[in-house]
Amino acid sequence: LTTALAFRQAIWRKPWPGLHVCGIPDAFHVDHGSDFTSAHLEQVMADLKIRAYFSLPGQPRGRGKVERTFGTINQMCLPSLPGYAPRGTPDRAGQARLTLAELDTAIGTFIRAIYNLTPHSETGIAPQQRWEAGAFSPRMPHSLEQLDLLLLTVAKPRKIHPDGIHFQGLRYLDPVLAEMGG
């Protein structure tokens, strides 16, 4: 569910003016965590035509894109936040000064106002500028409702019994089903 919600935020249009990064990705780089190897996420990626690239277990070099993102946030964003305590600081947890919502806002602001507008060391172009210079139309779902249904609905097989469909302790009956059962 957490991964599906992250996909939703990544894919759908952003509420901030000027931030046009959206769309269904062609590729998704993941490790072998249970949230990335679920049957539900496998079905979502198949439905959205996203190719999963799994890193090799025990070989971190395959996770460079993800690790680079965490490293950038750890080096450029977190040290400026109230209560920041680098690794090795005694009682790190006790020094926390931000709520989770405040941390989310701070990281979002950093990405939009600093990271996306700062030229990248390899390309020399800011990520936002590079995205906009690509002049392509991202693949988008037809609606947010369609995306929500795809991401948040876990399909489970149901069995029709002679006395209806049993689901979460309830029994559903329909005259058509009764005719089929009997």
Side-chain angles (χ1 to χ4, degrees), residues 11 13 42 57 64 77 79 89 94 101 103 124 126 152 166:
I11 292 170
R13 293 174 188 91
E42 184 178 326
C77 174
T89 302
L103 178 62
L152 303 176
H166 297 239

Side-chain angles (χ1 to χ4, degrees), residues 2 9 34 38 44 48 52 58 63 72 88 118 124 126 128 134 147 154 160:
T2 302
Q9 186 172 354
S34 59
S38 71
V44 165
L48 292 174
R63 293 188 287 272
T72 298
T118 302
Q128 179 78 23
L147 181 62
V154 179
I160 299 175

Side-chain angles (χ1 to χ4, degrees), residues 69-89:
T69 302
F70 290 138
T72 298
I73 290 172
N74 283 332
Q75 293 170 6
M76 295 177 64
C77 174
L78 298 183
S80 66
L81 299 179
Y84 172 72
R87 186 176 298 228
T89 302

Side-chain angles (χ1 to χ4, degrees), residues 19-117:
L19 185 58
H20 307 291
V21 178
C22 63
I24 300 167
D26 292 329
F28 188 49
H29 295 265
V30 295
D31 61 19
H32 291 273
S34 59
D35 46 345
F36 300 127
T37 57
S38 71
H40 174 63
L41 190 62
E42 184 178 326
Q43 184 62 52
V44 165
M45 291 197 298
D47 291 343
L48 292 174
K49 296 174 180 54
I50 299 172
R51 175 146 185 193
Y53 291 94
F54 288 93
S55 62
L56 297 173
Q59 296 188 14
R61 74 172 178 269
R63 293 188 287 272
K65 289 173 176 40
V66 174
E67 298 301 329
R68 171 72 186 255
T69 302
F70 290 138
T72 298
I73 290 172
N74 283 332
Q75 293 170 6
M76 295 177 64
C77 174
L78 298 183
S80 66
L81 299 179
Y84 172 72
R87 186 176 298 228
T89 302
D91 189 29
R92 286 176 66 187
Q95 295 188 33
R97 299 288 178 265
L98 299 176
T99 65
L100 187 55
E102 290 169 333
L103 178 62
D104 183 53
T105 298
I107 292 173
T109 300
F110 163 76
I111 290 169
R112 288 187 310 277
I114 298 172
Y115 179 79
N116 280 349
L117 303 178

